[in-house]
Amino acid sequence: MIHKQFSLYNLFIESKNTLKVYLVLLTVIFLGNINCSAQEYDEFPVELRVSKLGVTEMPVAIKNQEAYIAVADFLDFLDLKNDVGNSPAEITGFIINPNNSFKFDIQKLKVIYKGEDFIIKPTDYILTATTFYFRSSLFGEIFGLYTKFNFRDLSINLETDIELPKVKELRLLNIRQNLNELRGFVTPDTLIERKYPFFRAGMADWSVVTTQQTNGTNDNRFNLGLGTMIAGGETNVLLNYSTRVPFTAKNQFYQWKYVNNNSKLFKQVTAGKIFSRATSSLFAPVVGIQLTNTPVINRRSFGSYTLTDVTDPRWTVELYVNNVLINFTEADASGFFSFEVPLMYGNTIVNLRFYGPYGEERTEERIINIPYNFIPKKELEYTFSAGIVENEDNDRFSRFNLNYGISNGFTLGGGVEYLSDVTSGEFMPFLNTSLKISSNLLFSGEYMHGVKSEALLSYRTPSSFQIDFNYINYNKDQTSINYNYLEERKISLSLPIRTKFFTTYSRFSINQIILPTTKFTSAQFLMSGSFFGISTNLTTYGLFNERSKTPTIYSTLSQTYRLPYQLLLSPQIQYDFSDNAITNMIVRLERPFLKRGFVNVGFENNFLRNTQIFEIGLRYNLNFTQTSFTSRIGNSNSTFIESARGSFLFDDATGYISSNDRSSVGKGAVTIIPFLDYNDNNVREESEPSVPGLTIKNLGGSVTYNKDKTQLRIYDLQPYTNFIIQVDTLSLDNIAWKINNPIIALETVPNQFKTIYIPVKVLGEVSGMVYVKDENGTKGQGRISVHIFNMNNELVGKFLTEGDGYFTYLGLKTGKYKAVIDPEQLEKIGYIANPAELEFTIEKSEFGDIVDDLEFILEKQSN
């Protein structure tokens, strides 16, 4: 048996160029290191390539340019059952099924598989003291595991029709991972539990807006938002001041909110300004308390609900369901946008937040009540609200509702609402239900005694065509709702249209309102989408009134053209069919400048009012603030507006203060501090330095570093969500540094930085040689099993030597160890090791200690 030197082997195995490979072979042969006679071979690992499993190193013996594969290692890699007896050639097992058993019987020169004998020749295998090699081509002939050896690049390709256990395991794992991603489930290595501090300083928002008018009143507005944690609850205070409006409590916002999803009785407790979700007309905030056992998490979706609305053209709109960001979209040329809102089990509270195309942020949040409220089967959820309405009479308000899931598709609920100024009846009991009739047909209904009855039916086809019917009947004597409607009838049809040249969302809706003496009917036809790459919106609106003989019908066409030099041209025209005339025309031209700036000019001509307005605007975003200046010069009035907004973030655990150009109050943040854990106790101590340059794979939130990149911060996180941090372990500068738990889960908490210390283990390396001594001399021996034990005699490492006897192992903590040759293997091959064991010490070191002088010599046992 002839073994190459390790350096020559590396040169050979790394040579991908054919000419270089042959030059290496000729050099080795010429030097006499390899004698290519029929009985000689060489042992070393080659690349085994398996479809869907990738590439691994596999021990082989090369003889006459033909590969012999190490049977046990090959079957182990494929997760095929095999047992090795007293000799490396005594291998038994089965392929997939126990009925497909096999046995290698070398003494009788045969392989038994599925009860059939396959005769082999002595040249079909190579048997060493430690390994049994089998001709690679025979794996296909006998077991259906077809291998193809490529001598030029020293690789083996495996092809088979058998679904190998490892391939099946990976396929099932991928399916589970995909399902988990869809459901939002990720299995973390570390779970950091939430704490409820009595007080933590956190975030502050600020904004200043000044307005001057030539024929009007000037105005200066100041807004300050403070976000903290008090008594374990989120505490937000928003103060608003205007020189035109007196400073009153009614115009301020303050709220304390305690959230504990693990509590059975109260999962949410809110005090201060509460969101009442009242049926009655409330024109002032409610100050009080709200209790509910609804968790602040999204339970799986069972359908969707189409939501449409209007904002400014090309603004980005974010959709939040129960405070969790679900989706975002960009409004079209007229400001129209639509969402497919997933319907979650439990109360579905939808918030919309708006951001301009160049960093502008609108603080307005629209809370939309979804008409469907499904509760999981056999679960009971309640919400109780009570407080004082901040109007002149300080009316008393309360509402209690209870919902029970009869099945996953059928929820029945009810409750009572109370408002002290309702003359038709202060107490208003109600019943409600949500029913999933089929996978694409939903029904929702509610009856409130003495106030109204309402029903909604929604049908959706697989092609996304949707039709909605909505009917409301109001009690003519009710005073709870502040208008005198008797009935409302609505029908809406929507359909996305996709062709080769355009994609568009189309909707046709009719809304009829019945009043005591008349009725109004309005109709709208809308098409919004991209036509030949141009963002286009065409909306036609009609209003029909019994008192008017002539209906009002007009259309608005809006488009956005992307021109060279980053110019955006947005024309809009409105045509009134009743007067057969153009009533309004707007043209805007926009362009970014200096990377973070934005300038726009525009002109509007309103033919009905005979007004012309010329507008010029400038916006520029700094790291700590958004600034803007706008001038609107008209023939009757001119307006000038200047504004600035931003926020401050305070991390009291590390004394870190930073600024942000966007709102931060109510949002969560995380500080990540990696450190060298010398003593392996997962707790940072003063003597353990920080680790610079660590990166994460997360897409959520905004990420920043401190100057030396030893602290990483993520902010702009949505609160009360299960946030997963995935550390990029390859970003560490030193190969001896290792992070055992790179996937960390935590619940984001608003108005504070949550500090996470990530222990980085410093690993030591040990290496050496194993030689075999016989009558021909001493040479390196491959495939010898070396075990590493700590001082408690616990096995901490186990590996095999390379073909030339070399071994290396990286992964030892600081401390004392001993290396031992596997005694069972020594007994099987009839050798003893000298010395029997070698002690060594891994010293404490920032870059990892290396011990590279271990040597074992194996000798034949004397009889």
Side-chain angles (χ1 to χ4, degrees), residues 259 261 267-268 292-299 322 379 381:
V259 175
N261 288 319
K267 296 186 186 299
Q268 299 182 60
T292 181
N293 68 337
T294 301
V296 190
I297 56 175
N298 282 335
R299 290 169 291 186
N322 297 336
E379 288 193 17
E381 291 189 359

Side-chain angles (χ1 to χ4, degrees), residues 5 24 175 230 327 355 402 407 418 582 602 636 767 800:
Q5 296 297 319
V24 172
I175 292 174
I230 297 178
N327 201 355
Y355 302 94
L402 197 68
S407 69
Y418 170 82
I582 297 175
S636 60
S767 61
L800 297 175

Side-chain angles (χ1 to χ4, degrees), residues 136-368:
S136 62
S137 60
L138 294 180
F139 283 99
E141 296 178 15
I142 299 175
F143 304 110
L145 304 173
Y146 296 96
T147 61
K148 184 178 180 180
F149 175 59
N150 189 327
F151 185 73
R152 295 175 61 183
D153 62 2
L154 293 180
S155 67
I156 297 176
N157 292 324
L158 171 64
E159 295 181 0
T160 179
D161 294 330
I162 300 172
E163 187 178 30
L164 299 169
K166 204 162 191 174
V167 174
K168 183 178 181 180
E169 179 183 350
L170 288 176
R171 178 174 60 84
L172 295 176
L173 179 61
N174 288 334
I175 292 174
R176 287 192 292 268
Q177 288 178 342
N178 292 337
L179 288 174
N180 286 339
E181 289 179 4
L182 290 174
R183 297 171 180 172
F185 299 149
V186 177
T187 303
D189 300 317
T190 305
L191 178 62
I192 299 179
E193 295 183 355
R194 178 186 166 185
K195 297 181 180 179
Y196 298 85
F198 182 79
F199 177 79
R200 289 284 294 272
M203 318 297 184
D205 294 341
W206 63 272
S207 68
V208 178
V209 181
T210 64
T211 305
Q212 303 85 41
Q213 300 184 72
T214 57
N215 295 320
T217 305
N218 297 339
D219 181 33
N220 299 302
R221 286 180 289 159
F222 305 92
N223 304 98
L224 177 64
L226 300 175
T228 64
M229 293 289 290
I230 297 178
E234 171 190 2
T235 305
N236 296 325
V237 178
L238 304 179
L239 303 177
N240 304 287
Y241 172 76
S242 172
T243 56
R244 295 180 58 184
V245 180
F247 186 86
T248 61
K250 177 181 177 180
N251 297 327
Q252 316 310 316
F253 178 85
Y254 45 91
Q255 185 183 85
W256 179 85
K257 185 176 183 179
Y258 179 86
V259 175
N260 185 356
N261 288 319
N262 297 321
S263 174
K264 294 183 178 180
L265 188 58
F266 304 122
K267 296 186 186 299
Q268 299 182 60
V269 179
T270 306
K273 297 287 183 77
I274 62 174
F275 300 110
S276 62
R277 305 191 72 176
T279 300
S280 304
S281 298
L282 299 178
F283 300 104
V286 177
V287 178
I289 188 170
Q290 186 175 82
L291 308 174
T292 181
N293 68 337
T294 301
V296 190
I297 56 175
N298 282 335
R299 290 169 291 186
R300 68 182 183 88
S301 172
F302 58 87
S304 62
Y305 176 79
T306 302
L307 171 66
T308 60
D309 210 329
V310 176
T311 183
D312 292 336
R314 296 188 305 102
W315 276 55
T316 297
V317 186
E318 292 182 344
L319 170 70
Y320 292 82
V321 176
N322 297 336
N323 289 323
V324 177
L325 178 63
I326 298 297
N327 201 355
F328 65 92
T329 190
E330 182 179 296
D332 68 7
S334 70
F336 172 83
F337 62 89
S338 65
F339 280 113
E340 292 296 315
V341 181
L343 297 175
M344 305 293 181
Y345 283 113
N347 292 324
T348 304
I349 302 176
V350 176
N351 300 62
L352 299 175
R353 300 180 188 176
F354 304 88
Y355 302 94
Y358 292 91
E360 311 97 316
E361 178 179 352
R362 180 172 295 171
T363 56
E364 172 191 4
E365 293 189 14
R366 305 181 191 174
I367 298 179
I368 309 222

Side-chain angles (χ1 to χ4, degrees), residues 506-525:
S506 63
R507 184 184 67 189
F508 176 72
S509 60
I510 299 176
N511 184 15
Q512 189 176 69
I513 299 174
I514 309 298
L515 299 171
T517 58
T518 186
K519 65 179 178 181
F520 290 92
T521 303
S522 61
Q524 184 189 62
F525 178 70

Side-chain angles (χ1 to χ4, degrees), residues 446-505:
E446 181 177 288
Y447 169 75
M448 177 172 278
H449 179 68
V451 181
K452 68 169 185 173
S453 302
E454 181 176 4
L456 174 64
L457 187 67
S458 177
Y459 177 75
R460 185 187 186 99
T461 68
S463 61
S464 296
F465 170 74
Q466 182 168 321
I467 181 170
D468 294 294
F469 299 95
N470 189 205
Y471 176 76
I472 305 175
N473 183 279
Y474 297 92
N475 189 303
K476 64 179 181 177
D477 298 322
Q478 66 87 21
T479 59
S480 172
I481 300 174
N482 195 29
Y483 42 76
N484 60 344
Y485 294 175
L486 296 180
E487 295 180 53
E488 274 190 272
R489 305 163 183 169
K490 298 179 183 179
I491 182 173
S492 175
L493 299 90
S494 60
L495 175 67
I497 302 174
R498 298 178 178 88
T499 69
K500 182 179 179 181
F501 303 103
F502 66 89
T503 59
T504 182
Y505 172 86

Side-chain angles (χ1 to χ4, degrees), residues 542-554:
L543 179 62
F544 307 87
N545 185 1
E546 288 183 341
R547 296 179 178 179
S548 176
K549 295 182 179 180
T550 304
T552 301
I553 303 175
Y554 61 88

